[in-house]
Amino acid sequence: MPSRPFLSWKLDNGTGTLKSDHRFAMNRTSLAILSLGLGVATALGQSNSSSASYKLLHAPLTGGGGQVGNGSNITAQISVGDDFSGAVSNITAGGVQEKPNYIGQLYDVTAVAVNSTPNTVDETSTRQLNATATLDDLTLLALAAAEVQWSVFLGPLTGIDASGLATADAVFADTTATAQGSFQGVNGQLGLTVFNTNPDNFRTYAGDGLSDGWQVDFFGSPPNANAAPAANPDNDPYDNRTEFLTGYDPTDAGDFFQLNVIELTGSSATLELSKIIPGTRYHLERSVDLEQTDPWSEFTNFTTLSEIFDHQLNDPNATGTRWFYRLGVEPE
Ligand SMILES: [Ca+2]
Ligand SMILES: [Ca+2]
Ligand SMILES: [Ca+2]
């Protein structure tokens, strides 16, 4: 016959008040022995205990020796002496259900979280994704990548394989992508920032020496033949490559680089460049006869850390009756 332990207890409601005493517990012990002898599984010594915040009640006749506890914040249904019964407790105030004393647990998935460390990925590189499920008792379940159905929800990811490895596509600017993981019909998503680590690798704009972001800004998504380096769609003096290197609008015929001599004093000439921009090196050369007998010779080259309009510089050897300047620009 399974033993049926007898429970005695003291409850303290926080103010030191005892709700059960020794004599009462002894009385209950006697009743328990009597009940077992008769083979009756009814209530064993009815008693109630309570405090301001907690109350324990003995089980009703169908409780089989179990107990029911009720309070404003807790309900406890406790079966004792039964080898196969577990216990169920409900904490109603927090909406949480605890399920102790079971060797397994049935659960529902309430949410799936997808994460990575960090939540960034370089273009054309990979990033490992992970997923965690939140269950209906608020416990967390780390998911094996193979348990998750991975997909690209949005943005420049070429795919996510079965092991949760996401591969980023080429981009023309830092771009947010959204990866999705699904588990038992519940979806979770993660925003991944795809970094533009190569400025010249985007689709048909790739490898032409012009920033893909610049080409997209002026000519839209590729392909667009007007975005080619040698094209000059606005028909001003300069092609797209020069417009890019000098910082001008390749779609505006009135917007292009200009070099002027603004002052001559003795053998000194003051030159003014309409704009200089970072990322470009400027080479200034002089020849007295456009290289017929006097080869072009560079008298200065420079670059800048910030955009400057109407940049002036001096040519200290501006001698002779006539001479010419030319400017070369190249990416730094
Ligand atoms: Ca790129
Ligand atoms: Ca390009
Ligand atoms: Ca232009």
Side-chain angles (χ1 to χ4, degrees), residues 199-202 204-213 215:
D200 192 17
N201 69 340
F202 187 63
T204 61
Y205 291 167
D208 59 12
L210 305 187
S211 157
D212 302 331
Q215 291 174 291

Side-chain angles (χ1 to χ4, degrees), residues 123-124 169-174 195-203 212-213:
E123 58 180 334
T124 71
D169 201 355
V171 295
F172 65 88
D174 293 351
F195 286 141
N196 179 34
T197 55
N198 181 342
D200 192 17
N201 69 340
F202 187 63
R203 303 183 193 170
D212 302 331

Side-chain angles (χ1 to χ4, degrees), residues 35-68:
S35 296
L36 289 171
L38 296 174
V40 177
T42 53
L44 306 180
Q46 300 288 336
S47 68
N48 299 333
S49 294
S50 64
S51 71
S53 61
Y54 192 86
K55 179 167 61 180
L56 284 181
L57 303 174
H58 266 241
L61 293 180
T62 56
Q67 300 154 16
V68 176

Side-chain angles (χ1 to χ4, degrees), residues 248 257-260 262 271-276 282-284 302 308-313 327 329:
Y248 282 88
F257 179 84
Q258 297 182 57
L259 170 65
N260 293 297
I262 61 172
L271 309 182
E272 185 175 87
L273 288 68
S274 56
K275 180 166 69 173
I276 58 174
Y282 296 79
H283 298 264
L284 270 167
F302 60 92
I308 302 174
F309 288 92
D310 300 329
H311 178 69
Q312 296 182 3
L313 56 85
L327 174 75
V329 288

